[in-house]
Amino acid sequence: MIFRSWAEIDKKQLKKNLENVYYFAKKDIFAVIKADAYGHCAKFLAKILQKYKYIKKFCVATALEGKELREAEIKKDILVLGGILKEEVELFKDYNLTPVISDFSQLENTKGLKKIHLNFDTGMHRLGFYKSDIKDIVSFLKENNISVEGVMSHFPSADIDEEFTKNQIKELKKILAILKIFHINPKFTHLQNSAGLVYPCDFCNAVRVGLAIYGEKPFKNYPINVENIMSVKAKVISIKKLKKGDKVSYSGTFIAPRSMYIATVSFGYADGLPRNLSNKGYVIIKGYKAKIVGNITMDMIMVDVDSFKDKIKEGEEVIIIGKDKDLSITFSDIAEMSGTIPYEIMCGISKRVKRFFK
Ligand SMILES: *Cc1c(COP(=O)(O)O)cnc(C)c1O
């Protein structure tokens, strides 16, 4: 193995996660594979996912992400959640992408496209039309002969705010009723994300799921059983002995309390390990927990291996994220320690970390 840091993506666990999500949601799935499938390599993942019948579409954030999938011979519908800008119109046509439209300026750019989805703002205030826009939307669509294949909204707080989320569901229901008066009856209505799957939505017939497919639970006690499909690994590249009082790494923030052994591991913040885990995070080597000592550097970390130094050697595999027997480190664990969310850690695993599907 020539790579010093790599990620292994477990196809069997992917299948389990998907089946558990589908069994729970009982609706068509739009697999959200934006940002290179949250760092999991969108084109390989999409190849695997496209054989599942209940995966009806893929969702990406930008037209260029859609283009990349088409170039990898992904045939299923691709929904571009971030809409369509003027300079992207040709991309949408050339690569058969479907935009989600959220405002009148973007609506202008849909002339000549076959179908679109409409996004309504039910409380997030990031993107989306308001209910009061419907009349004008409908006249534009009629004039330009554009059909609405789907209608959606998005939950910003399904993991923490039940009342807010339930109101959003009610609001979208009202929107659909108004659209119906104008004879707009979309084939797909989609609202729920991973966290939102726990809210019943009887008028929705598809769900947009990202996080749960990758095996992270959006909140504690999430009722769907999923596990990380990606484990992230590196190598011991050197083992060294410290004397009492020796300082480790940049700025010398770790001072050896006694004579001890540390290992230098080929994984740093340029690979995606947040630097604020310096002196805080840990890795797993040969079934032992090894604490990060000193500041995390761009390409390497130093870890305390004193209690099992004799069991390891240069080249030893190191688990940055993953599990080994009863020890595990998940994306959530890292996110929690560094004060962020698992999404950010997942899509922050960098290009240097070579992805393998097993
Ligand atoms: C990213 C995204 C999703 C997926 O959210 P998860 O929490 O990863 O399931 C769904 N809908 C929209 C609009 C998104 O931007």
Side-chain angles (χ1 to χ4, degrees), residues 134-229:
I134 291 176
K135 211 166 156 236
D136 293 335
I137 299 172
V138 171
S139 42
F140 179 91
L141 294 173
K142 281 215 174 112
E143 234 163 76
N144 294 283
N145 205 16
I146 297 163
S147 81
V148 175
E149 189 199 38
V151 168
M152 65 164 276
S153 186
H154 189 41
F155 289 147
S157 308
D159 52 339
I160 50 168
D161 195 335
E162 182 172 342
E163 195 191 334
F164 187 88
T165 306
K166 285 186 169 163
N167 277 328
Q168 287 188 276
I169 299 173
K170 279 188 209 146
E171 183 67 13
L172 187 61
K173 192 166 185 174
K174 286 183 202 156
I175 288 163
L176 286 160
I178 300 172
L179 286 168
K180 192 165 184 180
I181 297 171
F182 288 98
H183 307 290
I184 294 193
N185 299 296
K187 181 172 171 199
F188 293 105
T189 302
H190 45 110
L191 171 60
Q192 295 142 297
N193 53 2
S194 295
L197 291 177
V198 300
Y199 292 92
C201 180
D202 55 9
F203 57 88
C204 299
N205 58 358
V207 296
R208 297 185 310 272
V209 187
L211 195 73
I213 293 177
Y214 306 114
E216 220 23 92
K217 300 181 174 184
F219 52 85
K220 296 221 159 69
N221 304 322
Y222 190 59
I224 308 174
N225 184 19
V226 294
E227 272 183 45
N228 284 181
I229 62 169

Side-chain angles (χ1 to χ4, degrees), residues 16-283:
K16 281 187 207 162
N17 292 349
L18 263 177
E19 282 169 354
N20 290 344
V21 165
Y22 182 61
Y23 184 77
F24 187 90
K26 299 192 169 68
K27 293 183 167 78
D28 286 340
I29 293 177
F30 295 175
V32 180
I33 54 172
K34 62 196 181 191
D36 208 17
Y38 298 28
H40 290 68
C41 193
K43 53 184 192 201
F44 283 109
L45 206 77
K47 276 211 180 104
I48 299 170
L49 295 181
Q50 77 175 346
K51 34 176 225 274
Y52 291 92
K53 275 208 304 280
Y54 51 81
I55 295 189
K56 287 287 187 276
K57 291 179 195 290
F58 292 115
C59 299
V60 295
T62 69
L64 284 178
E65 289 182 338
K67 173 176 182 276
E68 194 198 348
L69 293 176
R70 288 290 182 240
E71 284 169 348
E73 284 171 22
I74 299 307
K75 304 279 191 255
K76 281 192 175 169
D77 276 5
I78 297 174
L79 210 51
V80 179
L81 299 172
I84 179 171
L85 300 180
K86 209 162 60 223
E87 58 273 27
E88 296 167 349
V89 170
E90 290 311 310
L91 275 178
F92 276 82
K93 290 181 181 164
D94 292 351
Y95 293 94
N96 184 25
L97 308 172
T98 307
V100 176
I101 302 301
S102 296
D103 68 36
F104 286 104
S105 171
Q106 292 208 4
L107 193 58
E108 285 292 329
N109 303 331
T110 62
K111 289 176 184 166
L113 296 187
K114 282 184 225 103
K115 61 183 184 190
I116 63 170
H117 286 221
L118 292 173
N119 181 22
F120 285 89
D121 186 351
T122 56
M124 181 167 186
H125 300 113
R126 177 173 70 171
L127 290 173
F129 287 106
Y130 294 116
K131 206 165 45 190
S132 53
D133 295 327
I134 291 176
K135 211 166 156 236
D136 293 335
I137 299 172
V138 171
S139 42
F140 179 91
L141 294 173
K142 281 215 174 112
E143 234 163 76
N144 294 283
N145 205 16
I146 297 163
S147 81
V148 175
E149 189 199 38
V151 168
M152 65 164 276
S153 186
H154 189 41
F155 289 147
S157 308
D159 52 339
I160 50 168
D161 195 335
E162 182 172 342
E163 195 191 334
F164 187 88
T165 306
K166 285 186 169 163
N167 277 328
Q168 287 188 276
I169 299 173
K170 279 188 209 146
E171 183 67 13
L172 187 61
K173 192 166 185 174
K174 286 183 202 156
I175 288 163
L176 286 160
I178 300 172
L179 286 168
K180 192 165 184 180
I181 297 171
F182 288 98
H183 307 290
I184 294 193
N185 299 296
K187 181 172 171 199
F188 293 105
T189 302
H190 45 110
L191 171 60
Q192 295 142 297
N193 53 2
S194 295
L197 291 177
V198 300
Y199 292 92
C201 180
D202 55 9
F203 57 88
C204 299
N205 58 358
V207 296
R208 297 185 310 272
V209 187
L211 195 73
I213 293 177
Y214 306 114
E216 220 23 92
K217 300 181 174 184
F219 52 85
K220 296 221 159 69
N221 304 322
Y222 190 59
I224 308 174
N225 184 19
V226 294
E227 272 183 45
N228 284 181
I229 62 169
M230 173 155 70
S231 45
V232 179
K233 295 181 175 173
K235 288 176 185 173
V236 168
I237 59 171
S238 187
I239 297 169
K240 51 200 292 116
K241 188 175 183 179
L242 303 180
K243 298 190 298 294
K244 182 179 177 191
D246 282 349
K247 290 180 177 177
V248 175
S249 193
Y250 292 115
S251 310
T253 56
F254 178 83
I255 301 172
R258 58 196 145 78
S259 163
M260 64 184 281
Y261 282 93
I262 59 170
T264 301
V265 174
S266 55
F267 206 90
Y269 59 76
D271 299 282
L273 193 64
R275 187 174 172 279
N276 67 3
L277 292 192
S278 297
N279 291 306
K280 217 157 120 187
Y282 60 94
V283 299

